[in-house]
């Protein structure tokens, strides 16, 4: 009986520990995604290079035109166009993070303002990979929508 209680207690301890690690990793992924939004708002190319792999891809699905238009570019392409006279503010409305063995995904509905005016909304889907003990965005896809927004 004592062995059974000991095994049960150890099982519960391991389960609690693994949940704590998951919370830490979710917080780390969330921080990287939020730093991406900060880099966009501040037009900070140094911060963008820290949080995103320059070889990574960005896919856009523009649903404001019919038929919907898809476009691909790389994060390195964004470095060339990030600095602008325009101001960008992308606000995450929520974030759902999933993590498994060194990869993560963040599903982020957002609202986008250009020069302080509502432009569009949509969903960002970030894929991250843990490299050298730090999370980095390796892939981003997002939709552009005008209808169904919470503005």
């Amino acid at each position: 009986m004592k062995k059974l209680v000991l095994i049960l207690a150890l099982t519960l301890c391991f389960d609690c520990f693994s949940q704590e690690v998951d919370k830490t990793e979710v917080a780390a992924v969330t921080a990287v995604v939020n730093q991406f939004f900060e880099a966009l708002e501040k037009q900070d190319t140094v911060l963008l290079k820290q949080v995103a792999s320059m070889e990574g891809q960005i896919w856009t699905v523009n649903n404001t035109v019919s038929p919907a238009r898809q476009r691909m570019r790389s994060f390195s392409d964004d470095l060339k166009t990030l600095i602008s006279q325009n101001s960008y503010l992308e606000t995450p409305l929520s974030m759902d993070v999933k993590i498994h063995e060194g990869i993560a995904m963040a599903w982020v509905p957002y609202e986008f303002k250009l020069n302080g005016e509502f432009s569009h909304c949509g969903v960002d889907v970030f894929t991250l990979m843990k490299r050298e003990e730090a999370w980095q965005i390796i892939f981003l896809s997002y939709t552009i929508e005008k209808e169904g927004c919470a503005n």
Side-chain angles (χ1 to χ4, degrees), residues 31-33 35-37 39 46-54 128 135-138:
V32 169
V33 171
Q35 288 174 323
F36 172 84
F37 293 130
V46 173
L47 182 56
L48 183 63
K49 286 179 184 178
Q50 290 173 358
V51 299
S53 168
M54 292 301 104
L128 299 90
W135 288 102
Q136 188 175 44
I137 301 166
I138 60 168

Side-chain angles (χ1 to χ4, degrees), residues 43-115:
Q43 301 183 25
D44 186 337
T45 58
V46 173
L47 182 56
L48 183 63
K49 286 179 184 178
Q50 290 173 358
V51 299
S53 168
M54 292 301 104
E55 297 84 34
Q57 293 182 340
I58 303 170
W59 279 88
T60 306
V61 179
N62 186 342
N63 292 310
T64 64
V65 295
S66 184
R69 194 173 23 189
Q70 299 175 356
R71 191 183 100 165
M72 192 277 292
R73 63 190 190 276
S74 68
F75 281 106
S76 62
D77 294 333
D78 271 13
L79 283 179
K80 301 169 192 166
T81 61
L82 187 61
I83 305 295
S84 169
Q85 297 299 318
N86 295 312
S87 68
Y88 308 116
L89 179 60
E90 186 166 348
T91 305
L93 304 176
S94 65
M95 192 177 308
D96 184 22
V97 175
K98 304 288 184 194
I99 300 172
H100 181 76
E101 300 295 329
I103 63 168
M105 185 274 307
W107 180 276
V108 186
Y110 72 90
E111 180 179 274
F112 188 85
K113 291 183 179 178
L114 178 63
N115 299 322

